[in-house]
């Protein structure tokens, strides 16, 4: 379901409990606070960075084998996506929303690279997303200190 997204927030903000990077959207607390003062170009650039990071991490865990099934399930579950959002980034959102109801990834056009439950796959995916986001945050902080 393509449409404009005013914010990448998914309603799972963990910066309020002390995380330096949100587990839900992978933004820093500063990026969250500054989001609405950013220009459209800055927001688009940040979304592209988030998508690229999600793709890099997600491809370690699963692959898309049927894009039509994935798109059908995104529509069926009313997962909001952006027009140019990469499919793997969309699949991360599908897993976040529907992982507890999913039993067979192939029905969603996906195949896991490792055996295990969908819930475990998502937990490992989230841990790696958080790690990648924190690494990006530290690299950016170090870059700005130079």
């Amino acid at each position: 379901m393509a449409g404009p997204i005013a914010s990448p927030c998914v309603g799972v903000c963990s910066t309020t409990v002390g995380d330096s990077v949100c587990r839900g959207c992978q933004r820093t607390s500063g990026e969250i606070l500054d989001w609405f003062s950013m220009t459209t170009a800055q927001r688009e650039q940040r979304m592209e960075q988030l998508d690229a990071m999600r793709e890099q991490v997600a491809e370690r865990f699963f692959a898309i084998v049927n894009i039509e099934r994935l798109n059908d399930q995104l529509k069926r579950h009313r997962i909001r996506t952006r027009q140019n959002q990469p499919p793997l980034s969309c699949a991360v959102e599908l897993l976040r929303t529907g992982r507890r109801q999913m039993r067979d990834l192939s029905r969603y056009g996906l195949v896991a690279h490792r055996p295990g439950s969908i819930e475990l796959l998502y937990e490992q995916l989230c841990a790696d997303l958080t790690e990648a986001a924190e690494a990006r945050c530290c690299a950016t902080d170090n870059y700005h200190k130079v």
Side-chain angles (χ1 to χ4, degrees), residues 9-17 22-24 32:
C9 179
V10 296
V12 185
C13 192
S14 65
T15 60
T16 59
V17 294
C22 178
R23 293 180 217 161
I32 293 167

Side-chain angles (χ1 to χ4, degrees), residues 9-11 19 29 36 46 55 83 87 104 110 132 137 142-143 146:
C9 179
V10 296
D19 288 343
S29 56
F36 290 104
R46 183 64 187 118
E55 284 184 296
Q83 186 171 1
D104 178 5
L110 305 172
C137 177
N142 289 335
Y143 175 78
V146 175

Side-chain angles (χ1 to χ4, degrees), residues 8-33 46 49-50 53-54 57 125-141:
C9 179
V10 296
V12 185
C13 192
S14 65
T15 60
T16 59
V17 294
D19 288 343
S20 60
V21 175
C22 178
R23 293 180 217 161
C25 69
Q26 291 84 46
R27 293 180 296 164
T28 65
S29 56
E31 288 172 320
I32 293 167
L33 290 172
R46 183 64 187 118
Q49 292 168 347
L50 287 170
M53 182 189 65
R54 289 176 184 146
V57 173
L125 173 69
C126 282
D128 281 19
L129 279 171
T130 299
E131 185 178 307
E134 287 173 347
R136 182 201 145 271
C137 177
C138 290
T140 302
D141 286 348

Side-chain angles (χ1 to χ4, degrees), residues 69-115:
R69 278 190 186 167
L70 174 62
N71 287 332
D72 288 346
Q73 292 294 345
L74 289 166
K75 288 176 189 169
R76 180 174 170 253
H77 291 282
R78 296 185 179 125
I79 308 298
R80 67 179 189 163
T81 61
R82 295 175 321 285
Q83 186 171 1
N84 296 322
Q85 187 172 354
L88 277 173
S89 181
C90 295
V92 169
E93 293 305 313
L94 180 64
L95 286 169
R96 180 185 60 76
T97 303
R99 69 190 177 278
R100 290 185 180 98
Q101 293 80 34
M102 296 170 136
R103 298 291 174 255
D104 178 5
L105 282 180
S106 67
R107 293 185 59 215
Y108 298 84
L110 305 172
V111 63
H113 297 317
R114 303 174 196 151

Side-chain angles (χ1 to χ4, degrees), residues 31-73:
E31 288 172 320
I32 293 167
L33 290 172
D34 295 342
W35 186 258
F36 290 104
S37 64
M38 294 172 132
T39 66
T40 299
Q42 289 170 321
R43 289 184 201 172
E44 287 174 358
Q45 180 183 25
R46 183 64 187 118
M47 290 307 302
E48 288 172 8
Q49 292 168 347
L50 287 170
D51 284 336
M53 182 189 65
R54 289 176 184 146
E55 284 184 296
Q56 284 182 323
V57 173
E59 69 186 6
R60 296 181 212 156
F61 294 93
F62 59 88
I64 298 169
V65 293
N66 188 319
I67 192 72
E68 292 83 17
R69 278 190 186 167
L70 174 62
N71 287 332
D72 288 346
Q73 292 294 345

Side-chain angles (χ1 to χ4, degrees), residues 61 99 114-127:
F61 294 93
R99 69 190 177 278
R114 303 174 196 151
S117 71
I118 295 170
E119 190 71 34
L120 178 61
L121 175 132
Y122 183 73
E123 286 175 23
Q124 293 169 336
L125 173 69
C126 282

